[in-house]
Amino acid sequence: MGDNSVLKVDNLKIELIHKNQKLIAVKDVSFDLEPGKTIGIIGESGSGKSITCSAILGLLEDKKWIINGDIYFGETPIPYRSNKDMNKFRGKHIALITQNPMSAFDPLRTIRYHFIETLTTHKNMSKKDIEKKAIHILNKMKIQNPKNVLDSYSFELSGGMLQRIMIAIAIALEPEVLIADEPTTALDLTVQYEIIKILSKMQKDLGTSIILVSHDLGVVSELADEVLVMYGGSIVEKAPINEIMISPKHPYTKGLILSRPNFSKERLAILEGTPPNLFERGDGCEFYNRCNRKNEKCKNNMISIIKVNQNHEVRCINFEEGAYSCGTA
Ligand SMILES: Nc1ncnc2c1ncn2[C@@H]1O[C@H](COP(=O)(O)OP(=O)(O)OP(=O)(O)O)[C@@H](O)[C@H]1O
């Protein structure tokens, strides 16, 4: 991997500036996203999934965060530190859909306005062509009466409908990369399934690459080719989806898989303890307090990524199969 990637993140480190102190929120995050592929990012609340995506999009305020590392779109370094320069990438090449579509729409403006506003910013299209394209995409998404939908205001539509419209606007931009940050978390199960189907179809039709952030391993396994498991600000395991489901190596991943389908924003039911907050992070393994195979080496040393095979990496020195167990997992 690497030469062919549409998005490459190399050694990303994100620190939060808090009362003159630098707190490490994300460290040593590297991955390659290939054209037409989906990377799922999974992990408990606070593990750094969203700020990793915000950093890629240049959305972290520079007074509050220090970001280091390289991010490339194809071979071009992304100017993620400059909000102004990032405008050339955001939307046009890398689009974002979030968990809360309500906040993405101005309640005083129609849905038509949002299509026009977004598309005229990034594409040289007339209002008439934008409306045609919007109706075409909404029709393809099986949204009934798309003309009426374009005349509606966000407060008149359901969360599931707004989520679909947010995706429709992203599809209209035809970005090479779509970052979907918890796109189904606020939705009921049937709508969740619909949204995953829509994303999958969009990927097939347009060859879009997707970063799918989720708490839900079930959602990720529907769409992802590869999974990054984040814990305490680092990637603790990276592998193809099929391999990770059958043969997880990190005790945390194993806990995640065994705790399905109850895995939620709440504490894991079968892993005792909670993830370290930003003040509790150190050099050793961040999973130390919850792992019952730990030893002194895990506590005192920065744990590097270890290659299990060509496509599978783990941040655990006791990863060998059967060499650990965790909590009651
Ligand atoms: N705006 C902010 N100000 C201060 N700290 C923040 C801010 N945003 C995130 N953090 C902290 O950075 C760390 C990583 O947060 P992040 O939102 O990336 O986690 P996450 O894995 O996406 O969690 P969730 O699934 O709950 O969204 C957390 O400790 C969080 O408290």
Side-chain angles (χ1 to χ4, degrees), residues 57-62 78-92 121-122:
L57 288 157
L59 292 173
L60 294 179
E61 287 167 68
D62 51 5
I78 290 186
Y80 62 82
R81 290 190 187 88
S82 157
N83 200 14
K84 190 166 144 259
D85 293 343
M86 272 311 288
N87 282 335
K88 287 182 215 135
F89 284 87
R90 268 198 303 261
K92 189 166 183 235
T121 307
H122 298 290

Side-chain angles (χ1 to χ4, degrees), residues 54-285:
S54 298
I56 293 170
L57 288 157
L59 292 173
L60 294 179
E61 287 167 68
D62 51 5
K63 284 199 182 107
K64 198 165 174 182
W65 302 91
I66 301 170
I67 314 173
N68 280 295
D70 295 307
I71 307 174
Y72 298 90
F73 176 73
E75 309 222 318
T76 313
I78 290 186
Y80 62 82
R81 290 190 187 88
S82 157
N83 200 14
K84 190 166 144 259
D85 293 343
M86 272 311 288
N87 282 335
K88 287 182 215 135
F89 284 87
R90 268 198 303 261
K92 189 166 183 235
H93 297 297
I94 311 176
L96 173 70
I97 54 170
T98 59
Q99 118 170 235
N100 186 1
M102 202 57 106
S103 65
F105 293 93
D106 177 347
L108 301 176
R109 308 282 194 175
T110 61
I111 298 300
R112 175 181 285 100
Y113 172 89
H114 289 89
F115 268 100
I116 291 171
E117 167 78 3
T118 311
L119 268 79
T120 45
T121 307
H122 298 290
K123 296 211 170 241
N124 188 15
M125 284 173 81
S126 69
K127 287 185 183 173
K128 213 170 152 199
D129 285 344
I130 292 174
E131 176 158 348
K132 256 200 220 157
K133 185 162 193 163
I135 290 174
H136 175 71
I137 294 171
L138 294 174
N139 263 326
K140 267 183 123 179
M141 291 169 106
K142 300 199 173 70
I143 290 180
Q144 305 206 326
N145 300 321
K147 269 200 158 167
N148 289 354
V149 169
L150 290 181
D151 287 329
S152 306
Y153 293 86
S154 56
F155 60 83
E156 298 177 301
L157 301 167
S158 69
M161 180 66 93
L162 288 177
Q163 188 62 292
R164 274 177 259 211
I165 295 166
M166 200 200 268
I167 296 173
I169 294 175
I171 291 175
L173 290 167
E174 298 178 14
E176 285 90 339
V177 177
L178 178 74
I179 299 182
D181 190 353
E182 305 271 8
T184 62
T185 303
L187 306 173
D188 64 49
L189 274 179
T190 47
V191 186
Q192 274 190 22
Y193 182 65
E194 269 303 306
I195 298 291
I196 294 297
K197 260 187 14 195
I198 289 168
L199 287 174
S200 166
K201 177 140 186 16
M202 165 198 173
Q203 184 163 52
K204 253 194 212 126
D205 291 350
L206 301 172
T208 316
S209 305
I210 299 176
I211 295 179
L212 175 66
V213 174
S214 184
H215 286 87
D216 187 336
L217 198 52
V219 168
V220 166
S221 61
E222 290 283 335
L223 210 62
D225 300 288
E226 186 182 38
V227 183
L228 312 182
V229 182
M230 289 194 72
Y231 188 85
S234 306
I235 295 175
V236 295
E237 189 156 7
K238 175 157 69 174
I241 181 73
N242 297 336
E243 187 162 329
I244 217 162
M245 297 301 281
I246 293 166
S247 183
K249 299 296 178 201
H250 197 282
Y252 175 64
T253 316
K254 191 181 178 191
L256 277 188
I257 289 167
L258 289 178
S259 67
R260 284 181 72 206
N262 297 323
F263 183 46
S264 73
K265 274 201 162 196
E266 269 81 57
R267 242 178 67 178
L268 287 178
I270 60 162
L271 289 177
E272 285 169 18
T274 49
N277 65 38
L278 297 190
F279 295 97
E280 293 166 339
R281 294 185 186 172
D283 276 345
C285 175

